[in-house]
Amino acid sequence: MSDLVTDAVTPPSSPASPSRAEPTEAAPAAASADRRRPTRAVLLFAGLAVALVAVMLIAACSGQLPIAPGEVWNSLLRGLGVDVPPAAVPTTDAALWSIRFPRIIMAVVIGAALAAAGTLMQAVFANPLAEPGVVGVSSGAALGAAASIVFGWAFLGEWTIAVAAFAAGLVTTLFVYLSSRSGGKTEVVTLVLTGIAVNAFAGAALALLMFLGDAGSREQIVFWQLGSLNGSRWQQVAVVAPLVIAGLVVAFLLARTLDLFSLGERGARHLGVNVEGVRIVVVVVVAVLVCAAVAFAGIIAFVGLVVPHLMRMIIGPAHRALLAASVLGGAVLLLAADLVARTAVPMADLPIGLLTSLIGGPFFFWLLRRTRRRAGGWA
C-alpha cells in the first residue's frame, strides 16, 4: 500500500492503552493540528504566489539586455494601451514582448501542466512515485518528433514537429491504456508493465532513427530530448495555453473523486465511483497536458514527480488543494529553471531538461530511500 494510503489511515489504539484519559488529553492536540492545516495551506499559497510574481519579474529583467523593473512595468502598461513615457532604450519593448514575455508565459503554462499531470498520475495510481512517463507519453512524443526530423516531414511547415510530437504522444498513451484492458477492466500493474514495454520499444525506435539520420538530425533530436523554451512565441502560447487550461479544468472537477482513490479501487467502487471511467478520463487528460507541454518545449523530466510530492508533504493529500498548489509550484519551478538556463552561462542557453533532471534525480533517490525506510523494506 502506498505512503498516501498509509498516511491517511490511523492505526487502531492498543488494547492496553487507558480507556478515557488519553483520548481526552489527545483531543486538544488533534484540534490544534486541524487548525494548523488551513494556516499552513494559506501560507503555502501566499508564498507560492509571491514567489511566482517575483521570479516572473526577475526573468523579465534578466538577460543579455538588463532591464530595470520600472521599465518592465512601463512596457507592460504600454502593451496594454496605457499612455506612459517611452522606454529609455528603444529595443526594450521589442525584447520584452517578442522574446521574454512569451517565454515567461510558456514556462508558467508548461510547468503548471507537467505538475498537474504528475498529481493526477499519483492519484489514479495511489502511489507518490508515479509520474506521466509511466504511460509512455513522453517517449511517444519523442518518437514522433524524431520521425518528423529524420524523414523531413514538412506538411505543416514549422508546426510539423510539434504536431507530430503531440499526436504520437497521445496515440502512444491511448495504446498503452487500451492494451492493458482485459474484461472491461484495467489493472494498475498491467498498465505499468505495458508502459514499460512501450517505453523500451520507443527508446529502441528512437535510437534507430538517430542511426538513420544525418549529423544535423541527430543533433536536433538530442537537443529536443533535453528540452528548451528558447524561441517561444505568442503563436505557440496561443496553442498550448487553451489545451492546458482545458486539462486543468477537468482535473479540478475530478479532484473530489480522486480523493476516494486513496481508499483503493474496491473502496472507491463501494462509494459509487466509476473507477474505469475516471481512470480513462485521467489518462487522456494527462496525455493532453504532457503532449501540449512537450510539443514545443521537448522533454522536461521530473517536474511531474518532484512538485506534487513536495506539495503533498506540506498540505496533505486532499486533491483540490494539492492540485492548486502543484500548479503554482510547477510554474515557479520551471520558470526558475528556465531563468537559470538562460543566464547561468553568458551567451548560451542551457537545456532546461538538463537542469530539472539535476534537481529531480537526487530528489527521486531520496524519495526512494524515504519510502523504503517508512515501509520497512520492499519485501
Side-chain angles (χ1 to χ4, degrees):
M1 187 175 295
S2 68
D3 290 343
L4 182 61
V5 181
T6 305
D7 293 341
V9 179
T10 305
S13 58
S14 171
S17 61
S19 59
R20 297 188 181 276
E22 288 189 5
T24 304
E25 294 172 358
S32 177
D34 291 339
R35 286 194 299 269
R36 286 197 301 268
R37 186 174 295 275
T39 303
R40 182 182 298 179
V42 170
L43 291 175
L44 175 64
F45 285 118
L48 288 174
V50 171
L52 180 60
V53 173
V55 178
M56 290 176 72
L57 179 60
I58 296 172
C61 295
S62 304
Q64 297 181 17
L65 174 65
I67 301 175
E71 287 292 336
V72 173
W73 175 251
N74 287 338
S75 180
L76 184 61
L77 293 178
R78 282 192 295 270
L80 297 175
V82 179
D83 187 15
V84 295
V89 180
T91 57
T92 296
D93 286 345
L96 288 173
W97 286 95
S98 299
I99 301 175
R100 294 187 189 175
F101 285 165
R103 184 163 179 165
I104 290 171
I105 299 302
M106 185 69 88
V108 170
V109 171
I110 291 178
L114 294 176
T119 305
L120 292 174
M121 289 298 295
Q122 293 175 12
V124 79
F125 281 94
N127 192 324
L129 301 180
E131 57 97 20
V134 169
V135 292
V137 56
S138 297
S139 59
L143 185 59
S148 176
I149 293 170
V150 172
F151 297 127
W153 295 341
F155 49 85
L156 292 175
E158 62 178 345
W159 299 85
T160 304
I161 295 177
V163 172
F166 183 93
L170 188 60
V171 169
T172 302
T173 304
L174 294 178
F175 175 79
V176 169
Y177 179 79
L178 294 176
S179 299
S180 61
R181 287 176 61 87
S182 179
K185 296 182 180 180
T186 306
E187 294 183 356
V188 172
V189 174
T190 306
L191 186 65
V192 172
L193 294 177
T194 305
I196 292 174
V198 170
N199 282 330
F201 174 81
L206 184 61
L208 176 62
L209 288 175
M210 293 180 68
F211 176 79
L212 295 176
D214 55 20
S217 297
R218 286 194 291 270
E219 183 178 347
Q220 190 175 357
I221 292 172
V222 170
F223 187 77
W224 191 91
Q225 285 185 287
L226 293 175
S228 176
L229 294 175
N230 188 22
S232 298
R233 304 190 308 275
W234 288 117
Q235 295 91 331
Q236 298 174 353
V237 174
V239 173
V240 175
L243 293 173
V244 172
I245 291 173
L248 292 179
V249 169
V250 176
F252 278 103
L253 291 176
L254 292 174
R256 292 292 178 86
T257 303
L258 293 176
D259 289 338
L260 302 178
F261 272 71
S262 62
L263 303 175
E265 291 187 20
R266 183 175 299 177
R269 287 194 180 95
H270 284 321
L271 293 175
V273 177
N274 182 356
V275 173
E276 284 301 311
V278 172
R279 181 172 289 154
I280 190 170
V281 170
V282 167
V283 169
V284 171
V285 170
V286 167
V288 170
L289 288 173
V290 177
C291 288
V294 304
F296 293 104
I299 297 177
I300 301 175
F302 285 108
V303 175
L305 172 67
V306 172
V307 175
H309 194 79
L310 284 177
M311 298 301 108
R312 186 182 294 107
M313 291 171 61
I314 297 174
I315 63 172
H319 282 90
R320 180 165 294 181
L322 180 59
L323 268 170
S326 296
V327 165
L328 287 173
V332 172
L333 175 61
L334 197 61
L335 185 57
D338 184 58
L339 175 61
V340 174
R342 65 184 179 85
T343 59
V345 179
M347 307 298 293
D349 201 319
L350 295 175
I352 191 171
L354 174 67
L355 295 178
T356 56
S357 296
L358 287 175
I359 297 172
F363 178 84
F364 187 67
F365 177 74
W366 170 81
L367 182 58
L368 287 173
R369 300 274 297 180
R370 177 177 179 270
T371 303
R372 182 185 180 189
R373 185 172 59 252
R374 293 183 61 182
W378 300 118

